[in-house]
Amino acid sequence: MHVTIDDAQKIVAAAVKEAQQTKTQMCIAVVDSGADLKAFFRMDGAWVGSIDIAIKKAKTAVFFGMPTGAIGKLSQPGGPLFGIEHSNDGLITFPGGLPIVDNEGVLVGAIGVSGSSVENDHQVAAAGVKVVGVSDLPEHPWRT
């Protein structure tokens, strides 16, 4: 199951609204469960470099079914995922990418947000996800 275009548009709209409230200019990407781009929005004034980062944050979150900030904690020197950011044509391992999980616990996509501090990026991403589902997957024995 993939995030629908209607839900992707709702996610982007909610994220844009949150970005406006934080007075930030963001790039917002939504990918489906196959990590293919479903929706993208670049706010006026958002950095060009944030386009790629937002998309990679969304892909990273869907590839591993966890927030990009959580992957970042695991990928520090000496950590079990050290160096992972060099895989999959480049991953982003700092906050701003969140999985999108439907009410049945199914991973349907992910959001990636870039354009401000990682705290603001995460806040805007969370506001987007909140309108259609949750960002946490149910517990599974194979997840770290």
Side-chain angles (χ1 to χ4, degrees):
M1 179 101 193
H2 297 299
V3 64
T4 67
I5 191 62
D6 288 339
D7 282 347
Q9 290 171 336
K10 289 176 190 173
I11 292 164
V12 168
V16 167
K17 183 178 178 182
E18 186 71 18
Q20 290 168 336
Q21 290 176 349
T22 62
K23 298 183 181 0
T24 57
Q25 294 79 39
M26 300 287 196
C27 289
I28 302 155
V30 176
V31 298
D32 64 21
S33 59
D36 293 310
L37 191 62
K38 190 77 172 199
F40 181 83
F41 191 85
R42 179 177 173 224
M43 297 175 70
D44 291 340
W47 293 321
V48 173
S50 289
I51 296 168
D52 183 58
I53 294 170
I55 294 168
K56 284 183 178 173
K57 282 182 181 182
K59 287 183 173 189
T60 301
V62 83
F63 282 162
F64 298 100
M66 66 176 80
T68 53
I71 296 169
K73 290 176 184 175
L74 297 168
S75 67
Q76 295 303 304
L81 299 181
F82 181 64
I84 194 169
E85 66 276 6
H86 303 293
S87 70
N88 296 286
D89 292 322
L91 301 175
I92 301 294
T93 59
F94 46 86
L98 293 172
I100 301 167
V101 179
D102 70 14
N103 293 325
E104 296 175 17
V106 176
L107 177 68
V108 295
I111 184 173
V113 175
S114 179
S116 184
S117 66
V118 293
E119 294 82 10
N120 285 341
D121 291 357
H122 178 82
Q123 178 179 335
V124 170
V129 172
K130 186 177 178 181
V131 298
V132 298
V134 297
S135 65
D136 294 324
L137 288 169
E139 290 295 321
H140 288 286
W142 51 267
R143 273 200 197 97
T144 59

